[in-house]
Amino acid sequence: QVQLVESGGDSVQPGESLTLACVSSDSISDRYTIGWFRQAPGKGREAVSTSGRYGHTYYADSVRGRFTISRDNLKNTVYLHMRALKLEDTGTYYCAATLGGLGVRGLKWDEESSYDYWGQGTQVIVSS
């Protein structure tokens, strides 16, 4: 069973940048689809971005143009580069993974049920 560990969460001001990292205990190269979800205080968890196993990327409308997802297969790590952070980006950010692709299994990148493994989360606070 793969384990995911997130890091990089911090308290920042609006407009600043932050990069989160998700390290997998298993090799991710061409194998795992990995996504980022977030949960704001008092709200449900929402999809932020996903990196498909062959590098295809997906973004929520709320972060497109500000966030970039990337993966380093040699380090088994997926990054979420966040810039121009807004107050509404505050929340706990979770990394999630599933073995294989999404489309071939009829799964949606922005649905929690598409992922089998989850990290414990890292907190991002955007405050002035």
Side-chain angles (χ1 to χ4, degrees), residues 39-102:
Q39 186 168 19
K43 295 187 177 181
R45 196 150 53 182
E46 64 173 354
V48 176
S49 181
T50 286
S51 172
R53 58 178 175 160
Y54 297 130
H56 191 77
T57 57
Y58 307 83
Y59 295 96
D61 289 341
S62 60
V63 306
R64 186 175 289 110
R66 299 188 298 120
F67 291 11
T68 302
I69 193 169
S70 65
R71 59 197 294 158
D72 185 335
N73 289 332
L74 293 179
K75 295 182 178 180
N76 296 323
T77 301
V78 173
Y79 301 96
L80 185 66
H81 308 279
M82 307 184 293
R83 66 176 185 85
L85 283 162
K86 303 177 180 180
L87 297 176
E88 53 263 41
D89 293 319
T90 293
T92 301
Y93 283 68
Y94 298 91
C95 176
T98 183
L99 184 62
L102 297 177

Side-chain angles (χ1 to χ4, degrees), residues 8-14 16-18 85 90 123-128:
D10 203 349
S11 180
V12 297
Q13 294 186 339
E16 293 187 338
S17 300
L18 202 60
L85 283 162
T90 293
Q123 193 168 24
V124 173
I125 299 174
V126 184
S127 173
S128 57

